[in-house]
Amino acid sequence: MAGHSKWANIQHRKGRVDAARGKLWSKLSKGIIIAAQSGGGDPSSNFKLRKAIDDAKAVSMPKDNIERAIKRGTGELDGGRVEEVVYEGYGPGGVAIMCESLTDNRNRTAPELRSLFSKLGGELGKTGCVSYLFDRKGLFVFDAESVDEEQVTEIALENGGEDVEATDDGKLQVTSQPDDYQTLAEAFEAAEIVPELKEVTLIPQTTVEVDAETGKKAMRLLEQLDDHDDVQNVSTNLNITDDLLTED
């Protein structure tokens, strides 16, 4: 799972760059819309919406944008419905890839993702082809040097955390069941322990190793998929090593 921590942090850093040029706002708006569609427009009673709003505020999305997205989701404003679609496939070396997407047009999104997979050495698969290799978990990632590992572990174990792992890139990674995510997030907040990253995501049960050349090809595919406007989150079982990250 440490490999997932590295990929999650790559996505997080990229997200900050995307936010700087406003690109991330479109993706976050879709997250707000789908949350409001499924659970209503009141964040106090809709955890999914509250999380989507928090994510939007974290990258300085204007309040008006957030409110418009909520109203689109509740039907107060026109704009069409957004639906959640998960695409599964294989990357170079047979690595498993999951793309969690929000789209207002499946007939556009599926061919575009199929084309990306094909052009970059992968293959879009059928539903269920790789999903059995992943578990949905709450994920919290901390800078190991800036937190007390014993305190983080104690809070995690008392509030639904399943595992606390020190990774080889200087991070402390805490996982939980999705239903315990909010309780754990609030416990860390109450203790004034701020994670670098927190999300509910797909985490591989095990990771796979590939050679450097194949790994670079797989990384290019992952980055291109993550950059697609309809893709909210990309998960993989590729073990992203330090050597792979430093390869030219």
Side-chain angles (χ1 to χ4, degrees), residues 222-238:
L222 293 170
E223 289 164 358
Q224 288 291 313
L225 291 169
D226 192 51
D227 202 42
H228 190 281
D229 288 344
D230 293 339
V231 175
Q232 296 289 303
N233 187 52
V234 178
S235 299
T236 180
N237 66 352
L238 171 66

Side-chain angles (χ1 to χ4, degrees), residues 82-228:
V82 174
E83 59 180 326
E84 297 177 271
V85 186
V86 179
Y87 296 95
E88 308 178 33
Y90 305 92
V95 301
I97 299 175
M98 300 282 291
C99 298
E100 298 177 88
S101 306
L102 298 179
T103 179
D104 56 7
N105 186 350
R106 286 187 184 221
N107 294 330
R108 179 197 67 240
T109 304
E112 289 178 355
L113 294 186
R114 183 175 292 108
S115 177
L116 280 176
F117 270 95
S118 179
K119 289 178 180 178
L120 294 168
E123 180 182 5
L124 186 65
K126 295 180 180 180
T127 299
C129 67
V130 299
S131 58
Y132 66 95
L133 298 171
F134 297 81
D135 294 318
R136 185 168 293 281
K137 299 284 186 180
L139 173 68
F140 300 82
V141 180
F142 302 88
D143 177 2
E145 293 187 355
S146 65
V147 297
D148 181 329
E149 182 174 350
E150 185 175 339
Q151 183 185 18
V152 169
T153 301
E154 182 179 352
I155 291 172
L157 295 179
E158 290 179 352
N159 293 277
E162 288 187 330
D163 187 52
V164 180
E165 178 183 10
T167 69
D168 59 9
D169 57 344
K171 305 297 180 184
L172 194 62
Q173 177 174 295
V174 179
T175 54
S176 73
Q177 287 296 317
D179 288 346
D180 295 318
Y181 171 87
Q182 185 62 22
T183 299
L184 191 49
E186 291 173 354
F188 284 132
E189 183 177 356
E192 299 183 343
I193 302 175
V194 181
E196 292 183 343
L197 170 70
K198 58 178 183 177
E199 62 183 4
V200 177
T201 188
L202 292 168
I203 295 182
Q205 296 164 3
T206 59
T207 56
V208 297
E209 303 277 353
V210 297
D211 61 76
E213 182 178 356
T214 302
K216 286 187 289 182
K217 291 178 180 177
M219 288 294 292
R220 281 195 290 271
L221 174 56
L222 293 170
E223 289 164 358
Q224 288 291 313
L225 291 169
D226 192 51
D227 202 42
H228 190 281

Side-chain angles (χ1 to χ4, degrees), residues 56-96:
K57 288 180 176 179
V59 294
S60 303
M61 181 186 287
K63 182 179 179 181
D64 287 349
N65 294 45
I66 294 173
E67 290 178 349
R68 279 198 300 272
I70 294 172
K71 289 179 178 179
R72 279 189 62 189
T74 58
E76 295 173 68
L77 290 178
D78 292 335
R81 290 186 64 81
V82 174
E83 59 180 326
E84 297 177 271
V85 186
V86 179
Y87 296 95
E88 308 178 33
Y90 305 92
V95 301

